[in-house]
Amino acid sequence: MTLLDVSGLSVRAADGRPLVADLSFSVAGGERLGVIGESGSGKSLTTLAVLGLLPAGMTVTGSVVLAGTEIVGAPEKRLTAVRGRDAAVVFQEPLTALDPLMRVGRQIAGPLARRTGWKGSRLRRATFDALAQVRLPEPERIASAFPHEISGGQRQRVALAAALACEPALLIADEPTTALDVSVQAEMLDLIDTLVREREMAVLFVSHDLAVVAKVTDRVLVMKDGRAVEEGGVQDIVGAPREQYTRDLVASARTLESALDLRSTQ
Ligand SMILES: Nc1ncnc2c1ncn2[C@@H]1O[C@H](COP(=O)(O)OP(=O)(O)O)[C@@H](O)[C@H]1O
Ligand SMILES: [Mg+2]
């Protein structure tokens, strides 16, 4: 069943400049789609359009249907209902998603409580479990910390835990490892990969690095200047890219072989 259906999506800047042009793709339930392209190719705007989060002043046309709801032109109330329940997002910079003035535990407990109705000690235990699931050590200590009191890698795990707490059908991840130290990037990627497979969640995974996308997804959409250049299975795109642009992306993905090795051992 189609979970996300993007059809003829176009986004224009306030000055009329086309930023995303006639983009179409779909994601089935449980499917993992990667979006790859050089910086400025329109990947982030596409993910924002899916959640109805485009900056004010931009004009959007076409259609984005998420779990049966048309997102383009939807009133804020309908968008609020969809976010979290049908799709949740992890951004490149975890501080965008986290409230700097709220302890980490409350930021997980909030969405958990909304979904489950749990309170008190049951909610507290579930919050610690959610933090442990993203492999955070000492979940009780992390829960009582403010975002600035933990490391960037730990913050990104918290953002992932908050997204997963809603049990969304679709996880959107926009360059979730790009801002992290190289030493923790692979671990974070492995964590996302493991958790979405366990939960059979659909994923829309955005990166400028094909090696990263190849680790987590099965199918890849290649974007350039706001348009789809080509689309296909990860192995086909890597093994036989049709476009020169895609060939360049393959060539610049230095860790591609090791990423594909990792996949084949699973
Ligand atoms: N708020 C904005 N106002 C005007 N142009 C923007 C805005 N945000 C992004 N853009 C432009 O839209 C294009 C696509 O941006 P983006 O989706 O962020 O690219 P990517 O995520 O692939 O790097 C870029 O040319 C960028 O400069
Ligand atoms: Mg981006």
Side-chain angles (χ1 to χ4, degrees):
M1 202 193 82
T2 304
L3 176 60
L4 172 66
D5 193 25
V6 175
S7 167
L9 177 71
S10 295
V11 179
R12 283 177 183 276
D15 63 8
R17 193 162 53 101
L19 304 176
V20 174
D22 197 24
L23 187 67
S24 300
F25 64 90
S26 62
V27 182
E31 188 185 23
R32 296 177 292 270
L33 176 70
V35 179
I36 165 126
E38 63 190 4
S39 175
S41 55
K43 307 182 297 297
S44 290
L45 291 181
T46 301
T47 63
L48 292 175
V50 168
L51 291 161
L53 288 172
L54 284 169
M58 286 191 188
T59 316
V60 50
T61 52
S63 165
V64 174
V65 178
L66 175 60
T69 302
E70 175 60 68
I71 301 295
V72 175
E76 195 57 33
K77 199 170 155 201
R78 200 176 310 154
L79 295 175
T80 310
V82 162
R83 288 181 204 134
R85 183 192 66 195
D86 296 319
V89 62
V90 179
F91 293 106
Q92 176 169 338
E93 175 42 67
L95 286 179
T96 354
L98 299 178
D99 182 339
L101 301 177
M102 198 191 278
R103 290 182 201 278
V104 161
R106 274 186 64 197
Q107 310 204 37
I108 308 291
L112 255 181
R114 275 194 293 282
R115 180 174 60 82
T116 61
W118 295 339
K119 291 187 243 180
S121 62
R122 186 170 193 192
L123 180 59
R124 226 172 8 254
R125 263 202 319 277
T127 299
F128 297 150
D129 285 348
L131 291 168
Q133 259 169 18
V134 292
R135 300 183 203 155
L136 280 163
E138 302 177 77
E140 304 191 10
R141 182 181 65 79
I142 301 270
S144 62
F146 288 99
H148 71 267
E149 294 174 328
I150 58 179
S151 73
Q154 290 175 331
R155 278 197 290 270
Q156 194 57 299
R157 282 161 199 261
V158 170
L160 179 62
L164 294 178
C166 309
E167 292 198 349
L170 175 70
L171 178 72
I172 300 177
D174 186 357
E175 309 258 10
T177 62
T178 305
L180 303 179
D181 289 346
V182 175
S183 59
V184 297
Q185 278 183 8
E187 219 182 324
M188 182 71 194
L189 205 56
D190 181 56
L191 178 64
I192 294 175
D193 190 43
T194 304
L195 292 177
V196 298
R197 281 176 204 267
E198 271 173 19
R199 290 152 202 242
E200 296 176 357
M201 264 159 97
V203 180
L204 183 64
F205 193 104
V206 171
S207 177
H208 66 282
D209 187 343
L210 185 52
V212 167
V213 161
K215 169 87 170 74
V216 183
T217 66
D218 313 308
R219 204 154 55 84
V220 182
L221 174 75
V222 183
M223 283 186 75
K224 179 178 194 278
D225 298 334
R227 293 179 179 276
V229 172
E230 60 180 304
E231 184 182 346
V234 171
Q235 304 287 348
D236 295 334
I237 292 283
V238 170
R242 286 200 311 270
E243 304 289 329
Q244 183 58 45
Y245 174 77
T246 311
R247 261 176 244 139
D248 294 342
L249 290 172
V250 172
S252 66
R254 274 162 297 158
T255 53
L256 193 55
E257 272 177 32
S258 58
L260 292 174
D261 284 351
L262 276 173
R263 279 167 64 92
S264 62
T265 59
Q266 277 167 356

